[in-house]
Every structure is written in structure tokens, then in C-alpha cells.
């Protein structure tokens, strides 16, 4: 029956009591990007037909079943796959060298099986690997040096195998929190924190060596028994812990099925006329789905751009696990082959009629400037929308999420000018427990985000955190009310947007606010009744714009001062001095209520 779901893009049947064999007919589902069969009672071997599904790109999860036999060499056909999990089964034989063909693999989990032999050298080709789990097998030989050269590898679990020899001293092997080598008693060397014995050079044995077995063998047997018992206890506790961490998985059940050719049709062949924007990893086109007439935004990934595939996987995972009125809604994803035989990956979103906040804050020409003016209440509403979305991501989603790239071009406005945060290609889940969740580390931070909005601690190798998002929001808030980008030409080594606004506070706040905030449109009925004099018409049009004369200027100044103070607080150099987003939401709502009471 499952084989008849030829249009399905996801099959998600984990944590049930299905038994029997995996049906080879699943190979008919040529549009699948995700297949999750984990935590059932499935038996038998993996059908080669499934491993021929080159469309699989997000993950293939067969973990925690009773599958047997070897991992077929056809696994190398999964060249688009990001995550392969086959842990907790009874697979045996050697790890196939063809895995080295899965160049886009980010996570490889083959733990708790019966694999034998060595770690294949071909895994050296998987440069993007972030996690490897080969624990609880019967693997032997030396741990290859290339594992320490995988730049992005942050978690490596080789525990409870039979590895021997000297442990490498670079890359992940320098990170004791990301490395596990328990239960490999023949290992030596490594960094001192691992407390492994020193590696002995091969020398001529002393004469006592002949008698040593009489003493060593009984002692070794006793130690082996103690070690085996300890490993069993530790292994069970680790298994329980790992299951506890991943109790929830992304749900793609509501996603529509859409093919490459439907997207071509909907965007007029990805026509330049349909192009509505471009970013670091691809271009966005306006389209109309032929199946139901839905107007959509189609984000097409440029897979030649380094990190684009990783961005695609991350955005799929993030958007499938969150739901909020101020987050851009994803409709579906498409992973296929284009008409030239090249890999094609895209994300399909709700279309936002009013474009990005960036377009409204920084119109490109005079005509656009006339039509795109945001009032004070609109800016407050948008700021509250963005803050509410970040508050949800940080404090109310299943796992705390850091957006990592907050800026005006990633804030999109619908027909009612309600703001929606988009572009989660850099987002990170905070899965690790911490006494201070806002400071939980997800992975090496590096420079994540866009210049002008990146918190200073990221530039110094600090941790990715929710407080990093708070800094980016603060920079965005200052930009919204001053009309100046953090990268404006007026800012340099001696002046930043933070200093620019701080120096004006509070007495000169009116000198730094966006001039368009001080401009209002005044309709002049006379211009519609007198068409005879062109000069009069032009003069009347000019008079339609004037500096606003407020009845209570002091109250308006207080509103603007309060907003900018929040922006400055959010952009404090020390993360600990920044507001959390739930506090920001409450304060902005209070300011808006004060503004409305002035009306």
C-alpha cells in the first residue's frame, strides 16, 4: 500500500508497532525527501529499492528496529541525503565504502549494531559531517587520522568497540565534550584530559615477558569482566539518554506534494519577471501553483554556493517544527532533478504581498519612496510582531531556537502589514541542557548572520545564543526608527548606529528619527477640482507633504525615547545586560498602548 503513495514527499510512521519487512514497493515513491521508519518492530534486510531513492534529502531513519543483514553498497546512491540513521538494529558485516559517495551527509548514526571491520577510508570524502555515531559495534583497527581533519565534525561517538593504537590529537579529538571513546581498552595517547595510557614504543621484551602471562591473564580476565559490566551499565544509560533527547521529530505531514515541473510552470520558467529577491543561498520567485491557484514564493537554492544544501536542510527542519502567526509559513519543499539533470532544491512559502521591511525602510527611488512610508503605529506593530516571533522561538517552541540572521530583509509583510520572520537557513536548535538556556551552545558559532547585525561575542568566538538574536533585534529596532542601516556610510571606526543614537538621547531624539516619520500626507480636495492650471496642481502636490504638527509633541518624544532605549538595551555589548524577548514584547506593547491613548 505504501508503494502506491507515488506523490508523497514525506512518509513519517515512526514509533508504532509495525512488524514484518520493509516493503520494496517504497521504491516507487520517487518524490520522497524524508522517510522515517524508526522505533517499530521491523525485521529482515533493507530493500535496495529504497536506497535507490535519490530524492531522499532530509533524512532516512530506520533506527530502533530489528533489521538484519549488511548495509547494502547501494547506500552510496543516496547522494543528496543529509542524515542517515540505522542505529539500534542487528546490522552486521563491514561499513560499506560506498558511503563515501554521500557527499552531502551531515549526520551518520550506525550505533548499537554488529558492524565489524575498520572505519572505511572513503568517509574522508564526507567533508560536511557534523555528527558520527559508530558506538556499540564490533569495529576494530586504528582510528583513522582523517576524522580529526573533518572541519565541521563536532560529535564523534566511537565507544564500546575494539579500536586500538594511538588516538589522534586534532579536530574533534581535542573536544572532550564532543568525543566518546569508552570501552576501547587498547587505545592510547590522545590529549591528557582523556586519561589514556601513553603509547609504548615497540622494544625488545625483557626476560620477564615469558613469565608475564601467568600473572597478566587472570588479572586481564577480571578487568575485562569488570569493564564489560561497566560498559553494559553505561551503554544502557547512554541509550536511554539519547532516546530522551530525540523524543520529538519534525513533522512534515501538512506539506503539499509539488514537483519540479509544477514549480517551473508556476514561475513561468523561473522568469526574471517573477524574480522578487535574492539572498546568500539562492533566489526567490513569485509563482501560482497550477493545482489550486495558490500564490506562493518559491526559494530556489543555488547549490553551487557553499553551505546552500546545509541551509536547505536546516530550514526544512526548523520550519517543520514551529508554528506562529508571525513566522513565515512554509507550504512544501521540493528536492528533485531539473531539466538539465542537475540537483534541484527549493522551498515554497506563503507569498507576502507587501514584500520585506527593508523595502519599506529603504525605498530605491522617489516613486517608491512616495508609496512606501511607515507610520509610527505601523513601525510599533511590526516591532511587536518581530519581538513576539523571537519570544516564541526562544521561550515557547519545543526546543529553543536561535534565528541567527535577524535583519529587515528577513522580515516580510502581508496584505495587512503584519510582519512574518523568514529565512531560517542559519537557525540553530538549542538542544543541550544548561542552567542558562539563553547561553546554551549549539555548535561553534563563527560569524553567523549579516554584517551590522552580528553580536560582538560571535566575532570573538562566543556561543550561539538567544541573546545573540536579541542584539540583532536591537540593531533592527534602531534602524526602523532612525531610518539608517547599521552599515550606513556615516558609520565607521569611530561611530556606530549605537553611538549615534545613544549620543542623541534623550534631548535630541527628534534630530535622529527617520525623517519620513515626521512627514504626513494631507489630501487637498481643491487639486481634484481644478485641472486648468498645471502649476497650481504641482504646487498643491508639494503642499501635500509637510512636517507634522503634533498637539502633544512632548508625549510623542517620550514614545520615541522609550523605543530607542529598548533598542540600546538590546544591543548592550555584554550579553547578560540585554533584555530577553519576553520583556521586550511587554515593554513595546506598553509603549503602543501609550501611543494609542494619545489619539
Amino acid at each position: 500500500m505504501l508503494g502506491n503513495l507515488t506523490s508523497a514527499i514525506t512518509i513519517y510512521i515512526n514509533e508504532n508497532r509495525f512488524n514484518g519487512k520493509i516493503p520494496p514497493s517504497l521504491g516507487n515513491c520517487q518524490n520522497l525527501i524524508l522517510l522515517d521508519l524508526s522505533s517499530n518492530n521491523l525485521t529482515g534486510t533493507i530493500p535496495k529499492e529504497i536506497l535507490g531513492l535519490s530524492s531522499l534529502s532530509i533524512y532516512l531513519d530506520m533506527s530502533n528496529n530489528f533489521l538484519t543483514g549488511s548495509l547494502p553498497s547501494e547506500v552510496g546512491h543516496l547522494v543528496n541525503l543529509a542524515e542517515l540513521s540505522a542505529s539500534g538494529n542487528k546490522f552486521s558485516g563491514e561499513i560499506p565504502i560506498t558511503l563515501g559517495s554521500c557527499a552531502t551527509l551531515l549526520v551518520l548514526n550506525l550505533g548499537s549494531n554488529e558492524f565489524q571491520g575498520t572505519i572505511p577510508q572513503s568517509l574522508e570524502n564526507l567533508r560536511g559531517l557534523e555528527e558520527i555515531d559508530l558506538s556499540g559495534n564490533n569495529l576494530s583497527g586504528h582510528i583513522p587520522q582523517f576524522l580529526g581533519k573533518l572541519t565541521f565534525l563536532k560529535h564523534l561517538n566511537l565507544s564500546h568497540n575494539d579500536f586500538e593504537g594511538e588516538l589522534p590529537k586534532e579536530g574533534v579529538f581535542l573536544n572532550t565534550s564532543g568525543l566518546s571513546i569508552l570501552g576501547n581498552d587498547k587505545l592510547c595517547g590522545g590529549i591528557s584530559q582523556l586519561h589514556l595510557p601513553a603509547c609504548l614504543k615497540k622494544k625488545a621484551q625483557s626476560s620477564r615477558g615469558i613469565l608475564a602471562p601467568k600473572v597478566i591473564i587472570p588479572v586481564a580476565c577480571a578487568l575485562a569482566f569488570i569493564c564489560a559490566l561497566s560498559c553494559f551499565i553505561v551503554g544502557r544509560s547512554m541509550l536511554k539518554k539519547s532516546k530522551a533527547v530525540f523524543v520529538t521529530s519534525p513533522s512534515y505531514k501538512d506539506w503539499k506534494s509539488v514537483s519540479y515541473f509544477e514549480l517551473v510552470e508556476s514561475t513561468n520558467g523561473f522568469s526574471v519577471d517573477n524574480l522578487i529577491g535574492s539572498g546568500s543561498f539562492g533566489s526567490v520567485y513569485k509563482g501560482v501553483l497550477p493545482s489550486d491557484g495558490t500564490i506562493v514564493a518559491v526559494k530556489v537554492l543555488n547549490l553551487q554556493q557553499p553551505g546552500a544544501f546545509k541551509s536547505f536542510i536546516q530550514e526544512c527542519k526548523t520550519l517543520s517544527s514551529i508554528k506562529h502567526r508571525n513566522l513565515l509559513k512554509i507550504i512544501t519543499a521540493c528536492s528533485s532533478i531539473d531539466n538539465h539533470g542537475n540537483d534541484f532544491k527549493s522551498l515554497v512559502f506563503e507569498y507576502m504581498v507587501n514584500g520585506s521591511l527593508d523595502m519599506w525602510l529603504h525605498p530605491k527611488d522617489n516613486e517608491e519612496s512616495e508609496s512606501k512610508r511607515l507610520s509610527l503605529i505601523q513601525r510599533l506593530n511590526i516591532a511587536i510582531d518581530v519581538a513576539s516571533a523571537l519570544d516564541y522561538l526562544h521561550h515557547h517552541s519545543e526546543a529553543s531556537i536561535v534565528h541567527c540572521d535577524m535583519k529587515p530583509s528577513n522580515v516580510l509583510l502581508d496584505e495587512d502589514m503584519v510582519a512574518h520572520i523568514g529565512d531560517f537557513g542559519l537557525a540553530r536548535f538549542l538542544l543541550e541542557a544548561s542552567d542558562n538556556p539563553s547561553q546554551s551552545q549549539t555548535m561553534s558559532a563563527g560569524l553567523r548572520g549579516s554584517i551590522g547585525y552580528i553580536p560582538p561575542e560571535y566575532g570573538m568566538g562566543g556561543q550561539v545564543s538567544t541573546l545573540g538574536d536579541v542584539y540583532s533585534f536591537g540593531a533592527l529596532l534602531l534602524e526602523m526608527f532612525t531610518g539608517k542601516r547599521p552599515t550606513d556610510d556615516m558609520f565607521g571606526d569611530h561611530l556606530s548606529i549605537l553611538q549615534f543614537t545613544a549620543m542623541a538621547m534623550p534631548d535630541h531624539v527628534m534630530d535622529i528619527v527617520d525623517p519620513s516619520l515626521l512627514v504626513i500626507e494631507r489630501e487637498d480636495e481643491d487639486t481634484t477640482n481644478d485641472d486648468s492650471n498645471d502649476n497650481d496642481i504641482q504646487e498643491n502636490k508639494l503642499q501635500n507633504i509637510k512636517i507634522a504638527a503634533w498637539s502633544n509633541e512632548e508625549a510623542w518624544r517620550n514614545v520615541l525615547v522609550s523605543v530607542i532605549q529598548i533598542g540600546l538595551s538590546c544591543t548592550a555589548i555584554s550579553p547578560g545586560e540585554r533584555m530577553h524577548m519576553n520583556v521586550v514584547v511587554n515593554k513595546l506593547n506598553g509603549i503602543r498602548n501609550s501611543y494609542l491613548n494619545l489619539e
Side-chain angles (χ1 to χ4, degrees):
M1 294 294 290
L2 288 176
N4 294 330
L5 303 176
T6 54
S7 297
I9 60 172
T10 62
I11 293 181
Y12 189 70
I13 53 174
N14 69 315
E15 297 182 5
N16 287 287
R17 297 180 181 179
F18 295 121
N19 51 33
K21 297 182 178 181
I22 300 174
S25 61
L26 278 172
N28 298 331
C29 304
Q30 295 291 318
N31 295 311
L32 277 183
I33 62 174
L34 178 156
L35 177 58
D36 192 340
L37 306 172
S38 63
S39 300
N40 284 290
N41 298 315
L42 300 174
T43 57
T45 59
I46 301 176
K48 296 179 180 179
E49 290 83 354
I50 289 179
L51 302 180
L53 289 172
S54 60
S55 61
L56 284 172
S57 53
I58 297 183
Y59 65 77
L60 171 59
D61 193 347
M62 303 171 287
S63 59
N64 300 319
N65 281 288
F66 298 93
L67 300 173
T68 57
S70 63
L71 187 60
S73 60
E74 285 78 6
V75 71
H77 296 159
L78 301 175
V79 294
N80 297 312
L81 194 64
E83 182 175 336
L84 174 63
S85 182
S87 61
N89 283 287
K90 297 182 179 181
F91 291 120
S92 58
E94 296 190 352
I95 297 174
I97 60 174
T98 53
L99 265 176
S101 300
C102 302
T104 58
L105 210 59
L106 304 178
V107 177
L108 175 63
N109 188 350
L110 303 178
S112 301
N113 281 289
E114 298 173 8
F115 287 111
Q116 301 170 346
T118 60
I119 297 176
Q121 189 71 24
S122 64
L123 297 189
E124 183 178 13
N125 300 327
L126 307 183
R127 301 292 184 182
L129 275 173
E130 298 179 355
E131 299 178 25
I132 300 177
D133 189 345
L134 302 177
S135 62
N137 283 288
N138 300 314
L139 299 172
S140 57
H142 286 76
I143 294 176
Q145 294 286 333
F146 74 77
L147 291 176
K149 300 181 185 299
L150 295 177
T151 307
F152 299 103
L153 188 59
K154 305 302 176 188
H155 299 281
L156 175 63
N157 190 351
L158 302 176
S159 58
H160 311 308
N161 280 286
D162 194 27
F163 293 114
E164 62 183 27
E166 187 171 4
L167 198 68
K169 293 183 181 179
E170 59 181 330
V172 70
F173 296 98
L174 300 177
N175 178 16
T176 55
S177 63
L179 176 68
S180 180
I181 53 170
L182 292 170
N184 292 281
D185 301 323
K186 300 176 185 177
L187 290 175
C188 61
I191 59 175
S192 59
Q193 292 92 326
L194 297 173
H195 305 294
L196 293 176
C199 297
L200 300 176
K201 295 182 179 180
K202 294 183 179 179
K203 298 277 187 179
Q205 291 182 337
S206 72
S207 58
R208 291 186 179 183
I210 300 174
L211 299 176
K214 295 181 180 179
V215 178
I216 292 175
I217 291 175
V219 174
C221 289
L223 288 175
F225 174 78
I226 294 171
C227 185
L229 182 61
S230 300
C231 290
F232 175 76
I233 295 171
V234 172
R236 287 198 62 176
S237 65
M238 288 179 65
L239 182 60
K240 289 180 179 179
K241 182 179 178 181
S242 66
K243 286 184 176 179
V245 172
F246 299 103
V247 291
T248 58
S249 299
S251 174
Y252 304 81
K253 297 175 183 177
D254 297 330
W255 288 17
K256 295 182 178 181
S257 176
V258 61
S259 69
Y260 165 76
F261 296 104
E262 286 178 297
L263 294 182
V264 170
E265 181 182 349
S266 71
T267 59
N268 293 321
F270 302 111
S271 166
V272 175
D273 294 336
N274 288 58
L275 183 66
I276 55 177
S278 59
S280 54
F281 294 126
S283 302
V284 182
Y285 300 85
K286 181 180 179 181
V288 180
L289 293 181
S291 58
D292 57 11
T294 302
I295 301 176
V296 295
V298 182
K299 180 179 179 181
V300 179
L301 277 292
N302 175 12
L303 298 179
Q304 304 303 314
Q305 178 73 20
F309 177 78
K310 185 176 178 181
S311 171
F312 171 77
I313 297 302
Q314 187 60 46
E315 200 156 0
C316 283
K317 286 186 174 181
T318 306
L319 290 168
S320 66
S321 65
I322 55 180
K323 189 174 183 180
H324 188 273
R325 70 181 293 267
N326 297 121
L327 297 176
L328 186 61
K329 181 181 177 182
I330 187 169
I331 295 174
T332 191
C334 178
S335 177
S336 184
I337 304 296
D338 66 17
N339 52 13
H340 299 292
N342 300 317
D343 287 335
F344 173 86
K345 287 179 171 48
S346 70
L347 298 161
V348 183
F349 298 97
E350 274 187 322
Y351 178 67
M352 296 285 108
V353 174
N354 279 309
S356 71
L357 175 61
D358 188 81
M359 293 167 51
W360 286 80
L361 293 178
H362 310 289
K364 293 181 179 179
D365 51 49
N366 290 335
E367 183 177 342
E368 203 173 71
S369 179
E370 291 290 330
S371 62
K372 293 188 182 299
R373 285 205 187 102
L374 292 172
S375 67
L376 187 61
I377 187 62
Q378 285 178 316
R379 295 180 199 228
L380 279 172
N381 286 337
I382 292 169
I384 291 170
D385 287 342
V386 175
S388 299
L390 289 175
D391 178 37
Y392 166 78
L393 293 174
H394 295 175
H395 305 294
H396 304 292
S397 56
E398 290 186 3
S400 186
I401 297 171
V402 183
H403 185 279
C404 291
D405 199 17
M406 275 309 310
K407 57 183 178 180
S409 60
N410 288 337
V411 176
L412 303 171
L413 305 171
D414 65 19
E415 60 184 350
D416 298 317
M417 297 299 287
V418 175
H420 304 259
I421 294 179
D423 201 344
F424 285 80
L426 296 179
R428 292 290 178 266
F429 291 88
L430 299 182
L431 292 176
E432 297 180 11
S434 170
D435 292 336
N436 184 358
S438 66
Q439 297 296 328
S440 296
Q441 184 174 3
T442 56
M443 59 186 301
S444 178
L447 285 176
R448 300 196 177 280
S450 300
I451 301 300
Y453 307 91
I454 302 174
E457 64 269 20
Y458 287 11
M460 296 182 287
Q463 298 175 338
V464 170
S465 73
T466 56
L467 291 176
D469 274 356
V470 172
Y471 180 95
S472 302
F473 173 81
L476 180 148
L477 193 63
L478 295 178
E479 181 176 356
M480 286 179 66
F481 286 86
T482 64
K484 298 188 181 299
R485 300 182 191 273
T487 55
D488 192 283
D489 291 340
M490 71 176 293
F491 303 131
D493 295 336
H494 304 294
L495 181 67
S496 68
I497 191 172
L498 312 183
Q499 295 165 323
F500 173 71
T501 50
M503 289 188 300
M505 292 286 284
D507 296 335
H508 300 284
V509 67
M510 302 304 294
D511 297 332
I512 64 168
V513 293
D514 186 348
S516 68
L517 261 178
L518 306 177
V519 175
I520 61 172
E521 293 286 348
R522 187 183 64 182
E523 293 186 0
D524 190 338
E525 293 182 358
D526 293 339
T527 61
T528 62
N529 298 326
D530 185 4
D531 296 332
S532 60
N533 191 322
D534 289 342
N535 291 331
D536 289 343
I537 292 174
Q538 293 300 323
E539 186 177 350
N540 285 330
K541 285 184 177 179
L542 291 174
Q543 290 177 351
N544 285 342
I545 301 174
K546 72 171 189 176
I547 300 299
W550 295 317
S551 59
N552 192 343
E553 187 174 332
E554 185 64 27
W556 278 75
R557 180 182 288 108
N558 290 339
V559 169
L560 292 168
V561 166
S562 299
V563 171
I564 291 176
Q565 282 178 338
I566 292 174
L568 291 173
S569 176
C570 289
T571 51
I573 299 301
S574 172
E577 295 177 5
R578 297 172 196 159
M579 291 184 185
H580 289 264
M581 291 311 302
N582 55 341
V583 177
V584 172
V585 172
N586 290 335
K587 286 185 174 292
L588 286 174
N589 273 312
I591 293 170
R592 181 174 61 180
N593 292 338
S594 298
Y595 167 80
L596 294 175
N597 289 335
L598 295 176
E599 294 291 295

